mmCIF file of all heavy atoms in Angstrom:
data_model
loop_
_atom_site.group_PDB
_atom_site.id
_atom_site.type_symbol
_atom_site.label_atom_id
_atom_site.label_comp_id
_atom_site.label_asym_id
_atom_site.label_seq_id
_atom_site.Cartn_x
_atom_site.Cartn_y
_atom_site.Cartn_z
ATOM 1 N N ASN A 1 7.396 4.662 3.544
ATOM 2 C CA ASN A 1 6.783 3.918 4.664
ATOM 3 C C ASN A 1 5.687 2.991 4.148
ATOM 4 O O ASN A 1 5.584 1.845 4.601
ATOM 5 C CB ASN A 1 6.213 4.894 5.694
ATOM 6 C CG ASN A 1 7.254 5.622 6.498
ATOM 7 O OD1 ASN A 1 8.386 5.169 6.579
ATOM 8 N ND2 ASN A 1 6.864 6.737 7.070
ATOM 9 N N VAL A 2 4.906 3.477 3.207
ATOM 10 C CA VAL A 2 3.849 2.642 2.651
ATOM 11 C C VAL A 2 4.441 1.436 1.933
ATOM 12 O O VAL A 2 3.971 0.312 2.074
ATOM 13 C CB VAL A 2 2.949 3.462 1.695
ATOM 14 C CG1 VAL A 2 1.942 2.574 1.013
ATOM 15 C CG2 VAL A 2 2.244 4.561 2.497
ATOM 16 N N GLU A 3 5.479 1.678 1.158
ATOM 17 C CA GLU A 3 6.133 0.567 0.437
ATOM 18 C C GLU A 3 6.715 -0.440 1.407
ATOM 19 O O GLU A 3 6.626 -1.672 1.151
ATOM 20 C CB GLU A 3 7.214 1.112 -0.514
ATOM 21 C CG GLU A 3 6.614 1.816 -1.703
ATOM 22 C CD GLU A 3 7.653 2.518 -2.566
ATOM 23 O OE1 GLU A 3 8.846 2.625 -2.174
ATOM 24 O OE2 GLU A 3 7.286 2.975 -3.667
ATOM 25 N N ASP A 4 7.311 -0.005 2.518
ATOM 26 C CA ASP A 4 7.828 -0.940 3.520
ATOM 27 C C ASP A 4 6.698 -1.749 4.160
ATOM 28 O O ASP A 4 6.853 -2.966 4.336
ATOM 29 C CB ASP A 4 8.584 -0.173 4.616
ATOM 30 C CG ASP A 4 9.952 0.306 4.168
ATOM 31 O OD1 ASP A 4 10.466 -0.176 3.094
ATOM 32 O OD2 ASP A 4 10.531 1.161 4.847
ATOM 33 N N VAL A 5 5.604 -1.125 4.500
ATOM 34 C CA VAL A 5 4.464 -1.861 5.076
ATOM 35 C C VAL A 5 3.990 -2.908 4.100
ATOM 36 O O VAL A 5 3.719 -4.035 4.487
ATOM 37 C CB VAL A 5 3.341 -0.865 5.465
ATOM 38 C CG1 VAL A 5 2.037 -1.617 5.772
ATOM 39 C CG2 VAL A 5 3.751 0.002 6.627
ATOM 40 N N MET A 6 3.850 -2.540 2.841
ATOM 41 C CA MET A 6 3.383 -3.485 1.832
ATOM 42 C C MET A 6 4.391 -4.648 1.675
ATOM 43 O O MET A 6 3.970 -5.792 1.500
ATOM 44 C CB MET A 6 3.153 -2.795 0.500
ATOM 45 C CG MET A 6 1.985 -1.791 0.534
ATOM 46 S SD MET A 6 0.455 -2.457 1.190
ATOM 47 C CE MET A 6 0.124 -3.776 0.047
ATOM 48 N N LYS A 7 5.654 -4.311 1.690
ATOM 49 C CA LYS A 7 6.700 -5.349 1.495
ATOM 50 C C LYS A 7 6.638 -6.365 2.628
ATOM 51 O O LYS A 7 6.596 -7.568 2.407
ATOM 52 C CB LYS A 7 8.062 -4.693 1.423
ATOM 53 C CG LYS A 7 9.219 -5.651 1.300
ATOM 54 C CD LYS A 7 10.530 -4.889 1.263
ATOM 55 C CE LYS A 7 11.725 -5.797 1.356
ATOM 56 N NZ LYS A 7 12.995 -5.054 1.429
ATOM 57 N N PHE A 8 6.617 -5.872 3.871
ATOM 58 C CA PHE A 8 6.671 -6.769 5.008
ATOM 59 C C PHE A 8 5.309 -7.396 5.333
ATOM 60 O O PHE A 8 5.242 -8.415 5.966
ATOM 61 C CB PHE A 8 7.239 -6.059 6.223
ATOM 62 C CG PHE A 8 8.663 -5.631 6.040
ATOM 63 C CD1 PHE A 8 9.007 -4.295 5.932
ATOM 64 C CD2 PHE A 8 9.675 -6.584 5.920
ATOM 65 C CE1 PHE A 8 10.316 -3.915 5.742
ATOM 66 C CE2 PHE A 8 10.990 -6.216 5.716
ATOM 67 C CZ PHE A 8 11.339 -4.867 5.639
ATOM 68 N N GLY A 9 4.232 -6.758 4.888
ATOM 69 C CA GLY A 9 2.911 -7.298 5.144
ATOM 70 C C GLY A 9 2.333 -8.129 4.029
ATOM 71 O O GLY A 9 1.214 -8.620 4.095
ATOM 72 N N SER A 10 3.115 -8.322 2.989
ATOM 73 C CA SER A 10 2.619 -9.078 1.814
ATOM 74 C C SER A 10 2.135 -10.472 2.173
ATOM 75 O O SER A 10 1.108 -10.958 1.697
ATOM 76 C CB SER A 10 3.716 -9.136 0.741
ATOM 77 O OG SER A 10 3.233 -9.860 -0.377
ATOM 78 N N ALA A 11 2.880 -11.153 3.028
ATOM 79 C CA ALA A 11 2.508 -12.528 3.432
ATOM 80 C C ALA A 11 1.195 -12.563 4.195
ATOM 81 O O ALA A 11 0.491 -13.596 4.262
ATOM 82 C CB ALA A 11 3.584 -13.133 4.300
ATOM 83 N N PHE A 12 0.781 -11.415 4.761
ATOM 84 C CA PHE A 12 -0.470 -11.313 5.543
ATOM 85 C C PHE A 12 -1.586 -10.658 4.744
ATOM 86 O O PHE A 12 -2.639 -10.319 5.299
ATOM 87 C CB PHE A 12 -0.183 -10.532 6.826
ATOM 88 C CG PHE A 12 0.905 -11.120 7.626
ATOM 89 C CD1 PHE A 12 2.166 -10.491 7.631
ATOM 90 C CD2 PHE A 12 0.745 -12.281 8.365
ATOM 91 C CE1 PHE A 12 3.215 -11.057 8.347
ATOM 92 C CE2 PHE A 12 1.796 -12.830 9.102
ATOM 93 C CZ PHE A 12 3.019 -12.190 9.067
ATOM 94 N N HIS A 13 -1.348 -10.424 3.453
ATOM 95 C CA HIS A 13 -2.355 -9.810 2.549
ATOM 96 C C HIS A 13 -2.714 -8.410 2.986
ATOM 97 O O HIS A 13 -3.876 -8.016 2.859
ATOM 98 C CB HIS A 13 -3.591 -10.668 2.437
ATOM 99 C CG HIS A 13 -3.329 -12.122 2.168
ATOM 100 N ND1 HIS A 13 -2.745 -12.554 1.009
ATOM 101 C CD2 HIS A 13 -3.525 -13.225 2.955
ATOM 102 C CE1 HIS A 13 -2.614 -13.877 1.086
ATOM 103 N NE2 HIS A 13 -3.056 -14.298 2.226
ATOM 104 N N PHE A 14 -1.737 -7.625 3.491
ATOM 105 C CA PHE A 14 -2.037 -6.239 3.873
ATOM 106 C C PHE A 14 -2.555 -5.494 2.698
ATOM 107 O O PHE A 14 -1.973 -5.563 1.582
ATOM 108 C CB PHE A 14 -0.748 -5.560 4.384
ATOM 109 C CG PHE A 14 -0.412 -5.842 5.801
ATOM 110 C CD1 PHE A 14 -1.009 -6.833 6.518
ATOM 111 C CD2 PHE A 14 0.534 -5.086 6.469
ATOM 112 C CE1 PHE A 14 -0.695 -7.111 7.854
ATOM 113 C CE2 PHE A 14 0.877 -5.321 7.775
ATOM 114 C CZ PHE A 14 0.246 -6.351 8.455
ATOM 115 N N GLY A 15 -3.571 -4.737 2.867
ATOM 116 C CA GLY A 15 -4.129 -3.860 1.854
ATOM 117 C C GLY A 15 -3.946 -2.420 2.209
ATOM 118 O O GLY A 15 -3.288 -2.100 3.228
ATOM 119 N N LEU A 16 -4.543 -1.536 1.436
ATOM 120 C CA LEU A 16 -4.435 -0.114 1.693
ATOM 121 C C LEU A 16 -5.764 0.559 1.551
ATOM 122 O O LEU A 16 -6.655 0.096 0.815
ATOM 123 C CB LEU A 16 -3.432 0.534 0.741
ATOM 124 C CG LEU A 16 -1.988 0.125 0.877
ATOM 125 C CD1 LEU A 16 -1.151 0.692 -0.271
ATOM 126 C CD2 LEU A 16 -1.437 0.609 2.220
ATOM 127 N N GLU A 17 -5.945 1.680 2.246
ATOM 128 C CA GLU A 17 -7.136 2.513 2.140
ATOM 129 C C GLU A 17 -6.719 3.847 1.588
ATOM 130 O O GLU A 17 -5.684 4.394 1.942
ATOM 131 C CB GLU A 17 -7.748 2.690 3.557
ATOM 132 C CG GLU A 17 -8.990 3.576 3.599
ATOM 133 C CD GLU A 17 -8.625 5.022 3.839
ATOM 134 O OE1 GLU A 17 -7.564 5.344 4.338
ATOM 135 O OE2 GLU A 17 -9.493 5.861 3.456
ATOM 136 N N ALA A 18 -7.510 4.359 0.669
ATOM 137 C CA ALA A 18 -7.226 5.626 0.029
ATOM 138 C C ALA A 18 -8.450 6.540 0.187
ATOM 139 O O ALA A 18 -9.540 6.157 -0.159
ATOM 140 C CB ALA A 18 -6.872 5.450 -1.441
ATOM 141 N N GLY A 19 -8.177 7.751 0.660
ATOM 142 C CA GLY A 19 -9.259 8.689 0.865
ATOM 143 C C GLY A 19 -9.179 9.905 -0.069
ATOM 144 O O GLY A 19 -10.047 10.742 -0.077
ATOM 145 N N SER A 20 -8.111 9.977 -0.854
ATOM 146 C CA SER A 20 -7.937 11.058 -1.808
ATOM 147 C C SER A 20 -7.333 10.512 -3.092
ATOM 148 O O SER A 20 -6.817 9.380 -3.126
ATOM 149 C CB SER A 20 -7.065 12.150 -1.221
ATOM 150 O OG SER A 20 -5.720 11.690 -1.104
ATOM 151 N N LYS A 21 -7.365 11.318 -4.138
ATOM 152 C CA LYS A 21 -6.800 10.850 -5.408
ATOM 153 C C LYS A 21 -5.297 10.617 -5.333
ATOM 154 O O LYS A 21 -4.761 9.655 -5.898
ATOM 155 C CB LYS A 21 -7.147 11.817 -6.525
ATOM 156 C CG LYS A 21 -8.603 11.802 -6.886
ATOM 157 C CD LYS A 21 -8.938 12.819 -7.945
ATOM 158 C CE LYS A 21 -10.428 12.904 -8.133
ATOM 159 N NZ LYS A 21 -10.847 14.025 -8.923
ATOM 160 N N SER A 22 -4.588 11.444 -4.605
ATOM 161 C CA SER A 22 -3.140 11.264 -4.464
ATOM 162 C C SER A 22 -2.862 9.975 -3.683
ATOM 163 O O SER A 22 -1.937 9.218 -4.050
ATOM 164 C CB SER A 22 -2.478 12.470 -3.774
ATOM 165 O OG SER A 22 -3.001 12.683 -2.482
ATOM 166 N N GLU A 23 -3.608 9.715 -2.612
ATOM 167 C CA GLU A 23 -3.435 8.431 -1.888
ATOM 168 C C GLU A 23 -3.812 7.263 -2.763
ATOM 169 O O GLU A 23 -3.175 6.212 -2.684
ATOM 170 C CB GLU A 23 -4.293 8.455 -0.644
ATOM 171 C CG GLU A 23 -3.817 9.381 0.444
ATOM 172 C CD GLU A 23 -4.712 9.324 1.682
ATOM 173 O OE1 GLU A 23 -5.800 8.711 1.638
ATOM 174 O OE2 GLU A 23 -4.312 9.948 2.700
ATOM 175 N N LEU A 24 -4.813 7.447 -3.577
ATOM 176 C CA LEU A 24 -5.267 6.371 -4.487
ATOM 177 C C LEU A 24 -4.165 5.995 -5.451
ATOM 178 O O LEU A 24 -3.870 4.809 -5.651
ATOM 179 C CB LEU A 24 -6.517 6.837 -5.203
ATOM 180 C CG LEU A 24 -7.089 5.922 -6.264
ATOM 181 C CD1 LEU A 24 -7.390 4.555 -5.693
ATOM 182 C CD2 LEU A 24 -8.321 6.556 -6.867
ATOM 183 N N LEU A 25 -3.529 6.977 -6.036
ATOM 184 C CA LEU A 25 -2.442 6.694 -6.999
ATOM 185 C C LEU A 25 -1.275 6.001 -6.321
ATOM 186 O O LEU A 25 -0.686 5.073 -6.869
ATOM 187 C CB LEU A 25 -1.974 7.974 -7.673
ATOM 188 C CG LEU A 25 -3.006 8.599 -8.590
ATOM 189 C CD1 LEU A 25 -2.549 9.971 -9.069
ATOM 190 C CD2 LEU A 25 -3.309 7.702 -9.783
ATOM 191 N N LEU A 26 -0.943 6.425 -5.096
ATOM 192 C CA LEU A 26 0.130 5.780 -4.324
ATOM 193 C C LEU A 26 -0.259 4.352 -4.009
ATOM 194 O O LEU A 26 0.544 3.412 -4.184
ATOM 195 C CB LEU A 26 0.430 6.568 -3.068
ATOM 196 C CG LEU A 26 1.444 5.963 -2.097
ATOM 197 C CD1 LEU A 26 2.787 5.767 -2.781
ATOM 198 C CD2 LEU A 26 1.578 6.819 -0.846
ATOM 199 N N ALA A 27 -1.468 4.120 -3.538
ATOM 200 C CA ALA A 27 -1.918 2.795 -3.229
ATOM 201 C C ALA A 27 -1.913 1.883 -4.446
ATOM 202 O O ALA A 27 -1.470 0.722 -4.359
ATOM 203 C CB ALA A 27 -3.327 2.856 -2.619
ATOM 204 N N MET A 28 -2.345 2.397 -5.580
ATOM 205 C CA MET A 28 -2.329 1.594 -6.813
ATOM 206 C C MET A 28 -0.916 1.144 -7.143
ATOM 207 O O MET A 28 -0.685 -0.028 -7.459
ATOM 208 C CB MET A 28 -2.896 2.405 -7.981
ATOM 209 C CG MET A 28 -4.418 2.604 -7.879
ATOM 210 S SD MET A 28 -5.017 3.797 -9.104
ATOM 211 C CE MET A 28 -4.604 3.034 -10.655
ATOM 212 N N SER A 29 0.034 2.058 -7.067
ATOM 213 C CA SER A 29 1.399 1.693 -7.421
ATOM 214 C C SER A 29 1.997 0.689 -6.441
ATOM 215 O O SER A 29 2.718 -0.222 -6.829
ATOM 216 C CB SER A 29 2.303 2.924 -7.528
ATOM 217 O OG SER A 29 2.506 3.479 -6.232
ATOM 218 N N CYS A 30 1.678 0.823 -5.165
ATOM 219 C CA CYS A 30 2.185 -0.090 -4.170
ATOM 220 C C CYS A 30 1.555 -1.497 -4.285
ATOM 221 O O CYS A 30 2.217 -2.519 -4.167
ATOM 222 C CB CYS A 30 1.990 0.421 -2.746
ATOM 223 S SG CYS A 30 3.030 1.849 -2.362
ATOM 224 N N LEU A 31 0.257 -1.511 -4.531
ATOM 225 C CA LEU A 31 -0.440 -2.804 -4.592
ATOM 226 C C LEU A 31 -0.152 -3.557 -5.877
ATOM 227 O O LEU A 31 -0.264 -4.796 -5.914
ATOM 228 C CB LEU A 31 -1.950 -2.613 -4.419
ATOM 229 C CG LEU A 31 -2.389 -2.273 -2.965
ATOM 230 C CD1 LEU A 31 -3.845 -1.950 -2.937
ATOM 231 C CD2 LEU A 31 -2.080 -3.461 -2.041
ATOM 232 N N CYS A 32 0.239 -2.874 -6.926
ATOM 233 C CA CYS A 32 0.599 -3.548 -8.157
ATOM 234 C C CYS A 32 1.837 -4.465 -7.930
ATOM 235 O O CYS A 32 1.992 -5.464 -8.594
ATOM 236 C CB CYS A 32 0.886 -2.573 -9.288
ATOM 237 S SG CYS A 32 -0.634 -1.881 -9.998
#
């Protein structure tokens, strides 16, 4: 779901918020 949001929101500069280390690692991989 996160990857889909990033894919479709890329044109709008969608970012991510991470509140834990596991979320942080997921966000890093998606935003790269």
